[in-house]
Amino acid sequence: MSLSVVKKIAKKPVIYLYREASARVCAKLYFDGLTVSYTEYDQEWNVTAYPCGILVDEDVEEYNHLFREACFDTEYDFKYIFMLKEAND
């Protein structure tokens, strides 16, 4: 008898960032298995977020959202959306 491991794929999830005033934003993911992203993800996303929803990366490219696709073994519950408060470091 052979067992097979089924990897789950999170396809087409997007992250929208809206600010009351334009600001630099650092967004991080806390799981492994990222297979595709834009703008480029290197341990974090660094963008300027504008009130209209436009994001501008360090190469001055404009995006409407951050995109990521991942493959993972962990079971996640994606039926909830969370609003995260700005961290005051």
Side-chain angles (χ1 to χ4, degrees):
M1 180 173 145
S2 67
L3 297 175
S4 60
V5 175
V6 176
K7 293 248 184 209
K8 295 160 190 71
I9 299 175
K11 293 183 179 180
K12 312 287 186 276
V14 296
I15 300 168
Y16 296 97
L17 301 172
Y18 295 98
R19 304 277 308 169
E20 290 181 13
S22 61
R24 291 288 301 154
V25 175
C26 172
K28 295 182 181 185
L29 299 174
Y30 291 96
F31 66 88
D32 294 325
L34 197 67
T35 56
V36 177
S37 73
Y38 72 81
T39 177
E40 184 179 345
Y41 184 84
D42 184 20
Q43 305 302 316
E44 62 190 18
W45 280 295
N46 288 293
V47 295
T48 300
Y50 292 91
C52 63
I54 296 294
L55 307 175
V56 178
D57 69 9
E58 294 171 343
D59 295 325
V60 196
E61 295 289 330
E62 289 188 9
Y63 299 89
N64 294 320
H65 55 268
L66 302 173
F67 171 89
R68 60 120 181 118
E69 186 172 290
C71 186
F72 50 87
D73 295 324
T74 306
E75 192 70 39
Y76 292 100
D77 186 351
F78 289 110
K79 65 183 173 186
Y80 299 102
I81 298 172
F82 296 94
M83 297 290 283
L84 303 177
K85 185 178 179 183
E86 176 182 354
N88 294 319
D89 295 325

